[in-house]
Amino acid sequence: MIQDESIFTNRLIQDFNQCFGHTPEFMVSAPGRVNLIGEHTDYNDGFVFPVAIDKYLHIAASQRSDREVHLYALDVEEECVFNLDSIRESNTPPWSNYLKGVAHFLQEQVLQGSEHTLNGITAVITGNVPIGAGLSSSAALEVASTLAFLGGCGLEIPHSSVNTNNGIQVLECSPLEVASICQRAENEFAGVNCGIMDPTISLLGKADHALFLDCRSLDYEHIPLNLTDILIVICNTNVKRELAASEYNKRRSECENGVKIIQQWLPSITSLRDISVEDFKKYEDKLPEITQKRCSYVVEENTRVLKAVSALKTNDVETFGTLMNASHEGLRDDYEVSCDELDLLTEIAKNTEGVFGARMTGAGFGGCTVNLVYQDRVDEFQNKVNNEYPKHTGIEPQIYICNAGDGARIKWISDN
Ligand code: GLA
């Protein structure tokens, strides 16, 4: 994997050279993520448990002396130019909104009133985080571009550099503040009211660890993945998530609506996070049916995350897997964000010995499942998925065996 990454980054440096005629000053890399459990809980102030995967979005970049941003996206062969003084959301091309959004909020939220101003940058973008697969390619792009814009004015955030003692100025800005800029970019420039999970794990990922994050307090703990002989296997339905943005925003408002109704009896609650399973049972029949289903899923999922974290701490993979399966059932039946293809993949997993747990991961409506699989059974599981999934769907799946990787980094090339 590490070798793959260095081949990738060397090629990117060459491509940058070809595009712009000089070597880039720095490279940033930000990983995608897979969420092990705790789905659709982040925007309900709840708990999540993702890992950063060893698939990265890379940007090679150099500072410019003006305020223009010149971008070239290698994988889609598209370019975009915009000016930092006149940032406007626009779909030409759509991916540029993530960069425009983070540049806008960096200027407005982080750098305003400080001694720093953004410079333009020249950048080439590439990566191997599958796009539109629920593995957070957009958060990886937002995080990488935030570090790239800061790099363009000679700044790093704490612990983001792979070169130490390089004399580069460190901006006193916590990773969580960077995550909130990325979230705002996605909310206000891409129109998805997503939560804080994806950029946070892309920044705070740690090799061989999962991140237990409280999305209200933003307290977090890295939990070692002592999964001896067990691998994280991701299966991609290759189904595009057409309705994802509108249905996602709808789920969020259904949850908020549920909170408003329950507040009549429990006025101190501000989100579903504040309601225990027992209390919810007392009031659930006051809610319209759909609202009740959505809220009951979230309330239960929060308790599942807490149990799953405890199970992992004692290496109880059986319990962890059972909780993953229950999470999928809730997402399928109550939250209704699964789809036939995701359900089929979880059924194949359930019928394969040595698979401890399987569930959809990410926003849903397509994308991927995450599976914990006993190492000796991985081949058998892959064969089954590769045979049975296309038979029923006519679609070829993709399978990734993932390691938990490190979070986003900047590497100063001139320092080598
Ligand atoms: C998307 C969002 C996240 C989170 C997940 C569902 O990935 O970006 O904030 O809500 O869906 O858990």
Side-chain angles (χ1 to χ4, degrees):
M1 288 294 173
I2 288 169
Q3 207 190 0
D4 282 0
E5 282 303 313
S6 70
I7 294 170
F8 217 70
T9 54
N10 287 340
R11 220 191 52 214
L12 178 57
I13 292 172
Q14 280 171 18
D15 288 328
F16 184 98
N17 234 313
Q18 247 171 31
C19 282
F20 298 111
H22 64 274
T23 304
E25 287 167 353
F26 58 88
M27 291 231 354
V28 293
S29 306
R33 64 98 189 91
V34 66
N35 191 19
L36 297 180
I37 194 160
E39 217 64 81
H40 289 274
T41 43
D42 61 349
Y43 54 81
N44 286 300
D45 278 352
F47 305 106
V48 294
F49 200 41
V51 300
I53 56 177
D54 49 0
K55 292 192 179 295
Y56 290 85
L57 189 296
H58 304 282
I59 300 182
S62 280
Q63 175 183 339
R64 293 174 60 91
S65 54
D66 57 18
R67 300 263 295 160
E68 288 194 352
V69 177
H70 288 237
L71 305 168
Y72 184 67
L74 261 183
D75 308 322
V76 287
E77 297 180 1
E78 283 177 344
E79 58 185 5
C80 173
V81 176
F82 66 93
N83 193 296
L84 291 169
D85 294 318
S86 53
I87 295 179
R88 239 162 254 104
E89 184 206 324
S90 90
N91 274 341
T92 47
W95 54 264
S96 68
N97 278 326
Y98 299 112
L99 292 105
K100 291 170 184 160
V102 296
H104 174 78
F105 292 115
L106 262 176
Q107 299 191 108
E108 188 193 274
Q109 189 178 319
V110 177
L111 299 179
Q112 204 172 49
S114 82
E115 60 189 293
H116 307 289
T117 38
L118 289 189
N119 297 312
I121 56 170
T122 294
V124 174
I125 304 167
T126 187
N128 61 355
V129 186
I131 295 171
L135 300 177
S136 252
S137 56
S138 57
L141 177 55
E142 290 149 10
V143 167
S145 40
T146 308
L147 297 195
F149 282 119
L150 290 174
C153 44
L155 294 170
E156 298 173 350
I157 59 166
H159 315 300
S160 65
S161 185
V162 292
N163 318 89
T164 46
N165 298 323
N166 54 10
I168 299 287
Q169 199 177 346
V170 178
L171 179 71
E172 280 318 314
C173 169
S174 80
L176 294 162
E177 193 169 359
V178 172
S180 95
I181 289 165
C182 297
Q183 184 190 8
R184 286 188 74 187
E186 182 108 17
N187 294 167
E188 296 176 41
F189 277 69
V192 182
N193 285 329
C194 66
I196 194 78
M197 168 171 70
D198 301 345
T200 306
I201 180 64
S202 186
L203 281 151
L204 292 177
K206 184 169 168 186
D208 305 321
H209 288 72
L211 183 78
F212 173 40
L213 175 68
D214 176 336
C215 298
R216 169 175 282 164
S217 66
L218 299 182
D219 288 341
Y220 62 86
E221 188 183 348
H222 288 106
I223 312 285
L225 284 170
N226 292 325
L227 297 171
T228 323
D229 299 333
I230 291 166
L231 299 178
I232 299 173
V233 181
I234 297 173
C235 299
N236 190 347
T237 58
N238 275 325
V239 171
K240 285 282 161 224
R241 305 175 306 147
E242 299 298 346
L243 282 171
S246 61
E247 286 295 322
Y248 183 97
N249 293 345
K250 202 162 145 199
R251 293 298 177 283
R252 188 173 178 148
S253 48
E254 285 162 350
C255 292
E256 285 162 4
N257 187 33
V259 172
K260 267 194 210 127
I261 298 174
I262 299 175
Q263 274 171 340
Q264 294 172 53
W265 297 278
L266 299 174
S268 64
I269 66 163
T270 56
S271 72
L272 291 176
R273 150 73 178 277
D274 298 315
I275 310 175
S276 64
V277 174
E278 295 69 37
D279 273 347
F280 184 73
K281 290 207 182 321
K282 288 187 209 153
Y283 303 104
E284 63 181 342
D285 57 4
K286 318 260 186 219
L287 302 174
E289 191 191 340
I290 294 289
T291 315
Q292 187 258 320
K293 284 170 82 173
R294 308 297 190 242
C295 296
S296 106
Y297 161 76
V298 173
V299 169
E300 283 167 13
E301 182 77 347
N302 272 326
T303 68
R304 278 192 285 266
V305 180
L306 299 178
K307 287 183 191 161
V309 173
S310 307
L312 194 66
K313 283 182 174 169
T314 57
N315 289 339
D316 181 355
V317 186
E318 300 263 354
T319 301
F320 196 96
T322 308
L323 291 160
M324 287 174 78
N325 294 340
S327 167
H328 184 79
E329 283 161 25
L331 288 158
R332 183 191 62 201
D333 302 335
D334 292 331
Y335 218 62
E336 296 181 281
V337 291
S338 188
C339 63
D340 291 347
E341 292 83 356
L342 285 166
D343 295 342
L344 174 62
L345 284 175
T346 58
E347 283 307 310
I348 297 172
K350 235 187 256 169
N351 296 326
T352 309
E353 212 164 305
V355 180
F356 290 91
R359 56 182 289 278
M360 55 152 274
T361 186
F365 306 104
C368 293
T369 62
V370 57
N371 307 267
L372 290 188
V373 188
Y374 190 54
Q375 194 163 9
D376 289 351
R377 298 286 184 164
V378 167
D379 285 348
E380 183 187 337
F381 178 51
Q382 294 199 74
N383 289 339
K384 267 188 144 178
V385 170
N386 283 327
N387 286 329
E388 289 179 30
Y389 182 77
K391 233 191 264 169
H392 291 92
T393 60
I395 306 169
E396 289 300 323
Q398 263 162 320
I399 301 176
Y400 323 107
I401 297 174
C402 275
N403 295 305
D406 280 322
R409 291 289 177 271
I410 184 163
K411 184 175 180 353
W412 299 88
I413 290 167
S414 48
D415 280 0
N416 280 336

